[in-house]
Amino acid sequence: MAVAAAQKNREMFAIKKSYSIENGYPSRRRSLVDDARFETLVVKQTKQSVLEEARARANDSGLESDFIQDGVRIGNGDNSPTVEDGTQQDETKNGHLADADIGDDDAKGDEDYTLTEEEVILQNAASESSEAEQALQQAALLLHMRDGMGSLARILKTIDNYKGCVQHLETRPSQVTGVQFDALVKVSMTRINLIQLIRSLRQSTAFAGVNLLTENNISSKTPWFPRHASDLDNCNHLMTKYEPELDMNHPGFADKDYRERRKQIAEIAFAYKYGDPIPSIAYTEIENGTWQRVFNTVLDLMPKHACREYKAAFEKLQAADIFVPHRIPQLEDVSSFLRKHTGFTLRPAAGLLTARDFLASLAFRVFQSTQYVRHNNSPFHTPEPDCIHELLGHIPLLADPSFAQFSQEIGLASLGASDSEIEKLSTVYWFTVEFGLCKENQQLKAYGAALLSSIGELLHALSDKPELRPFEPASTSVQPYQDQEYQPIYYVAETFEDAKDKFRRWVSTMSRPFEVRFNPHTERVEVLDSVDKLETLIWQLNTEMLHLTNAVRKLKGSHFE
């Protein structure tokens, strides 16, 4: 994964033109850590910052409102004032939209749709007393937008009218016919206003559907996270989409053909579903040439600077005719290789995933990999992850059993974790899987993917310039990192086994009230929350221990003979 540098409020809340919230980090690289931090910061920001940005973008694009609020249509065809460019002009009354009285249309509104289980629980909770009505409620709404991003500013204004606070917002293209985008909006507002907000949104022709997904403090359900490998089809949220179109500093920003190529390859990833073979990419001569330049450089540096586990796996990939200098490997071939050695598999990703989604995939021994190639004008640097970084940086060590288990344990720890814990886990991932160093015969060796695929940073990390610290998850997880220049601090693991042991002890202190395990036979994550499940697991472990004990006894017997 690549690094990002946090720009402040305005960039954080910039709503992407075609996909999701744009974190707007125009730095040297982008990272899993920054996306985790970005997700956390979004929750802490005020609704005013979101609203101002959305309104400004709506005004810039000249979008027309087609929004109905509580039976009063606002936009074309009504009596509300408009400006010359066709955008809606705010119609206010004491600082708020002049809405119709809710009460007059309550009966009609209730007849328009069937309440879901969550909405029934919400209404019952609000009806207990006047205090219960005014109790602050957190909720997540999924909105299916027929008219695209033009409706987004109206959603935010309506939430503002009902005195709600937007805590998180993201969008993605919808798979439903006739719907352009789906928007996930997390809000905080009084229960009564939330009920009225849902009714108001449902009365708008701009939406094909409005679903209440979750409500804190009403339902005690376990937080959603993927339970089966097929659920990773729902874990493909991008913090950024087609980088060359968004960042003027990107090497491919001015290359129209490159941007179109990136879009075509990304669409293949968007269409991928669990169980499908990974589609092959017919890489061009230029793309294979870029791979060859980086590949040959890694070959030169690897014998001296890479850890033994990386070198051993690299040689196996070469022997299998997967790693060759003249051809970019296909993900399906790499996935089959990993499955045989460590049980890891690959699935294509369109770009940089959110930290939570990326870490969750590791819990299932699935690595989400991009398939596009960095621009040929910048072969030794990419501002976001590309397949050269994934293949040369990550894949060899995912073929090592000890490292593969460490990666999976990071993923398992992320399931159901809080936002702050996701940020800490991402930071641990950053300083280990991406930029980790280890000791080997009293010499420093690199095992981090970003080091092994970045010539300059690798040589810097192994010089006498940076500060080296022993890997301790508690301190590593809160260490600020450098995103504009080379890292001033690196963490050194004694061995992978030592790193795993320290990581397990640290994870046991996290706030998650349950434990999980991955069942490789069913590709399912099991929550260990009942005596029956624990008894079944103990029986399985006892059986394994019996086999191991018998094996040790037989080996000792044959040795003495």
Side-chain angles (χ1 to χ4, degrees), residues 68-123:
I68 301 175
Q69 180 162 321
D70 299 331
V72 177
R73 186 179 183 88
I74 302 172
N76 291 338
D78 66 2
N79 295 324
S80 60
T82 58
V83 292
E84 291 182 358
D85 64 358
T87 59
Q88 176 191 331
Q89 188 178 64
D90 289 347
E91 180 180 0
T92 60
K93 182 177 182 181
N94 296 328
H96 300 284
L97 279 180
D99 300 328
D101 292 335
I102 299 296
D104 295 341
D105 293 325
D106 277 355
K108 178 182 178 181
D110 289 342
E111 295 174 356
D112 290 340
Y113 60 89
T114 302
L115 294 179
T116 64
E117 177 186 357
E118 289 82 0
E119 290 169 40
V120 171
I121 295 174
L122 175 63
Q123 289 206 343

Side-chain angles (χ1 to χ4, degrees), residues 39 42-45 138-139 165-169 186-188:
E39 293 173 72
V42 167
V43 176
K44 297 178 181 178
Q45 297 298 321
Q138 295 183 1
C165 177
V166 175
Q167 296 180 315
H168 182 81
L169 171 64
K186 294 183 180 180
V187 298
S188 177

